[in-house]
Amino acid sequence: MHEDANSGGQPPAAGPTPSGADQEFLALERELTVLLRRARASQGEMAREVHPDLESAAYGLLVRLDEQGPQRATELAAYIGVGKATMSRQLRALEELGLIARAPDPADGRAWLVALTDEGHLRVSRVREARRARYVSQLAHWDRREVSELARLLHELNGVMER
């Protein structure tokens, strides 16, 4: 079993605070703030591992292409949560680095599909394997059911956040 994740090592007191929020939600907010700050820093590191010239936002885009295959730029922009101009700039940079390629969408000749190149797939796969190995090492003392439950809860949280 893993130790409490909160910074004080003690479970938060139950009940509402003066603002009306339960201590459990205050603890959740605190831990998510730390997790997200670390995730942003980690995303930048992983992007630079793929290619030293990548900006951190590109990593999530590359992972999406690795998992989902070719996508339209508009789908990628919606998934990442950026505008068309930002997505176009990011795709242009990835294309110049040889990590992605664009091809006409056979279903709609006006649209383009974006896909990882062989080089892009190879680089992303190496970084993802290293990241998974790091998670296995860091969570080795956790029970597999806890890891599975954490993944399930994070998936559920991500779903709620997309709405």
Side-chain angles (χ1 to χ4, degrees):
M1 176 83 88
H2 68 279
E3 296 177 20
D4 268 355
N6 76 38
S7 56
Q10 299 294 321
T17 64
S19 67
D22 289 340
Q23 288 293 329
E24 293 81 4
F25 282 97
L26 291 174
L28 174 64
E29 187 273 335
R30 178 182 58 245
E31 297 307 323
L32 282 175
T33 298
V34 171
L35 178 67
L36 293 173
R37 185 180 65 239
R38 288 179 178 159
R40 275 191 299 276
S42 178
Q43 185 174 3
E45 292 169 12
M46 289 181 285
R48 285 184 296 281
E49 287 176 29
V50 171
H51 193 284
D53 295 335
L54 281 186
E55 51 184 81
S56 62
Y59 184 76
L61 180 63
L62 294 171
V63 168
R64 178 69 173 189
L65 289 170
D66 189 42
E67 291 179 347
Q68 301 295 317
Q71 305 255 302
R72 288 185 179 178
T74 52
E75 295 169 326
L76 292 168
Y79 175 75
I80 301 294
V82 298
K84 290 178 186 178
T86 300
M87 181 54 54
S88 180
R89 182 182 52 76
Q90 288 180 346
L91 292 176
R92 199 170 23 259
L94 291 170
E95 195 169 25
E96 287 172 6
L97 293 172
L99 301 176
I100 65 159
R102 300 184 215 204
D105 184 346
D108 181 353
R110 301 167 296 165
W112 292 82
L113 291 177
V114 179
L116 287 177
T117 61
D118 290 343
E119 178 69 14
H121 180 71
L122 177 68
R123 287 176 178 248
V124 170
S125 294
R126 267 190 275 166
V127 172
R128 293 187 83 194
E129 283 297 322
R131 185 180 60 176
R132 282 190 289 269
R134 190 169 36 231
Y135 293 157
V136 167
S137 173
Q138 289 171 333
L139 301 178
H141 64 285
W142 283 33
D143 183 277
R144 289 286 181 133
R145 290 175 299 224
E146 290 177 312
V147 173
S148 178
E149 181 67 0
L150 177 60
R152 185 190 70 74
L153 290 170
L154 288 172
H155 178 76
E156 195 170 315
L157 179 63
N158 283 328
V160 168
M161 299 293 197
E162 287 180 7
R163 294 183 198 146

